[in-house]
Amino acid sequence: MREDRIKIKVQKRIVLISVLLLCGKFFAFWVTNSVGILTDALESIVNVVAGLISLYSLNVAAKPRDADHPFGHGKVELISASTEGILIFLAGLAIIYEGIRRLFYPSLLEKLDVGIMLVALAGAVNYVLGWYSIRVGRKYDSIALIVGGKHLQSDTYSTIGLVSGLLLLYWTGITRIDSILALIFGFIIVRTGILILRKTIANLMDKADMKLLKYMLSLLVINRREDWIDIQEVKVLKYGNAYFIDCNLTLPWYYNIRKGHAVCAEVGKVIAENFPEHIRLNIHTDPCKENHCPHCMLTDCGYRLHSFVDIKEFTLRKITETEEAIV
């Protein structure tokens, strides 16, 4: 609960600062009439709306598990991130439209020096704010804070290009540069929205996280005990900052329930010590069969039917195999 309060507090700060930056950018657009600066201002609207959605999602995600939501409320962070991706995508399309319109109907630009200074300052603040959001998000495993922080930092990268283009416009007086800048950054913003949507949709569909599975495989290999005969059907689902892990563990057939439970506790300890603290582990035990004997490492087994040949290594494909695939 303490972590949830910290994440909510951080997001409140981000929303407040985003509102101030939004006001500053629209003031810069008002004094300059630059469509390039308008692109930055429109994306700041997205920042504020997305920030408010993230704040709401963090409040919901902080709720404990209940009868209606046995896995908790963590998935709402993915919905928040998806909404942010959609808003970013739509903002990019609006910017592209305005850039094309201004190519044919250019407007008179004024006080570009003031606008450039305001935009540059806002970009620097956005970068620091994004770094802060990502840092807290990674520390407390919050995808909403991480996505929001990356979005804020992407604003800074586009601001660097925008300021460079505005300086060129200021020195040359070629007004079409303003529209070209809007088109370039409009396409960059659209791409950012698409990438965020792809990531969040994959998580909403519970797509296997191969990086996470490879890490778990390394833990099992390094800490393998001789009576961990086989491990299959490993599944890792992430709900907010909680991991739900399910797997099948093959043990010697003659182990009683107490002994089997003790071995499962060993596996759970290995995983819990190396994963974030919010772990829900479910292990289904299977008895070994005759075909396991040639690869079983147990040296004191009195029921072995075949001599030991070699160790059957745990591989990513092997531990994630389902019974249907094996058949």
Side-chain angles (χ1 to χ4, degrees), residues 53-154:
I53 294 171
S54 292
L55 182 60
Y56 170 75
S57 75
L58 288 171
N59 275 285
V60 174
K63 294 180 180 179
R65 292 184 295 164
D66 54 37
D68 294 328
H69 304 87
F71 294 99
H73 300 77
K75 283 284 187 181
V76 72
E77 288 195 37
L78 295 174
I79 297 173
S80 164
S82 298
T83 304
E84 183 170 351
I86 292 170
L87 290 173
I88 292 169
F89 177 77
L90 293 176
L93 292 181
I95 291 166
I96 291 170
Y97 169 79
E98 185 64 17
I100 293 172
R101 192 182 71 82
R102 291 280 188 110
L103 273 176
F104 297 99
Y105 305 101
S107 301
L108 181 64
L109 305 178
E110 301 175 353
K111 298 181 181 178
L112 270 180
D113 51 346
V114 176
I116 290 170
M117 286 188 290
L118 289 172
V119 170
L121 178 62
V125 173
N126 260 337
Y127 186 84
V128 174
L129 200 60
W131 170 83
Y132 177 53
S133 182
I134 292 171
R135 180 172 173 270
V136 176
R138 285 177 175 164
K139 183 176 181 181
Y140 297 110
D141 204 19
S142 170
I143 190 171
L145 287 176
I146 293 172
V147 167
K150 288 182 177 179
H151 177 206
L152 289 170
Q153 288 194 333
S154 73

Side-chain angles (χ1 to χ4, degrees), residues 64-297:
R65 292 184 295 164
D66 54 37
D68 294 328
H69 304 87
F71 294 99
H73 300 77
K75 283 284 187 181
V76 72
E77 288 195 37
L78 295 174
I79 297 173
S80 164
S82 298
T83 304
E84 183 170 351
I86 292 170
L87 290 173
I88 292 169
F89 177 77
L90 293 176
L93 292 181
I95 291 166
I96 291 170
Y97 169 79
E98 185 64 17
I100 293 172
R101 192 182 71 82
R102 291 280 188 110
L103 273 176
F104 297 99
Y105 305 101
S107 301
L108 181 64
L109 305 178
E110 301 175 353
K111 298 181 181 178
L112 270 180
D113 51 346
V114 176
I116 290 170
M117 286 188 290
L118 289 172
V119 170
L121 178 62
V125 173
N126 260 337
Y127 186 84
V128 174
L129 200 60
W131 170 83
Y132 177 53
S133 182
I134 292 171
R135 180 172 173 270
V136 176
R138 285 177 175 164
K139 183 176 181 181
Y140 297 110
D141 204 19
S142 170
I143 190 171
L145 287 176
I146 293 172
V147 167
K150 288 182 177 179
H151 177 206
L152 289 170
Q153 288 194 333
S154 73
D155 283 0
T156 303
Y157 303 140
S158 62
T159 297
I160 293 171
L162 176 61
V163 170
S164 301
L166 290 173
L167 286 171
L168 183 62
L169 171 60
Y170 180 71
W171 291 325
T172 64
I174 302 173
T175 56
R176 291 190 186 277
I177 291 176
D178 192 40
S179 298
I180 293 170
L181 286 173
L183 290 173
I184 291 172
F185 292 110
F187 282 111
I188 292 173
I189 291 167
V190 165
R191 181 177 179 273
T192 300
I194 291 172
L195 290 176
I196 290 174
L197 281 171
R198 285 179 61 185
K199 180 177 177 60
T200 54
I201 288 172
N203 286 331
L204 283 169
M205 295 292 291
D206 292 326
K207 182 179 179 181
D209 187 331
M210 301 311 293
K211 183 177 179 181
L212 199 62
L213 286 169
K214 285 178 181 177
Y215 175 62
M216 188 170 174
L217 171 64
S218 68
L219 294 178
L220 296 173
V221 170
I222 293 170
N223 297 280
R224 185 175 183 176
R225 311 288 195 268
E226 61 178 15
D227 53 358
W228 298 5
I229 297 173
D230 200 6
I231 294 181
Q232 292 175 338
E233 297 197 52
V234 176
K235 304 178 187 71
V236 182
L237 295 179
K238 187 173 183 296
Y239 281 74
N241 62 347
Y243 290 88
F244 292 83
I245 302 173
D246 187 90
C247 66
N248 290 357
L249 175 64
T250 302
L251 298 176
W253 63 266
Y254 50 86
Y255 274 15
N256 60 28
I257 293 176
R258 181 179 294 176
K259 178 65 173 176
H261 180 77
V263 176
C264 290
E266 288 181 2
V267 177
K269 184 179 179 182
V270 167
I271 294 173
E273 287 178 348
N274 294 279
F275 262 71
E277 59 181 348
H278 303 287
I279 292 288
R280 304 286 184 272
L281 180 63
N282 179 49
I283 301 178
H284 171 77
T285 57
D286 291 321
C288 66
K289 299 177 182 178
E290 183 177 343
N291 63 311
H292 290 109
C293 288
H295 312 290
C296 178
M297 296 186 294

Side-chain angles (χ1 to χ4, degrees), residues 1-36:
M1 294 300 293
R2 176 179 171 273
E3 293 180 4
D4 293 327
R5 286 197 297 271
I6 291 172
K7 290 189 284 186
I8 291 169
K9 187 177 180 180
V10 167
Q11 189 59 32
K12 284 181 179 178
R13 292 172 182 168
I14 291 172
V15 170
L16 177 61
I17 296 173
S18 294
V19 170
L20 296 176
L21 292 177
L22 171 66
C23 295
K25 289 180 181 181
F26 268 103
F27 175 74
F29 168 65
W30 180 68
V31 298
T32 63
N33 197 32
S34 165
V35 70

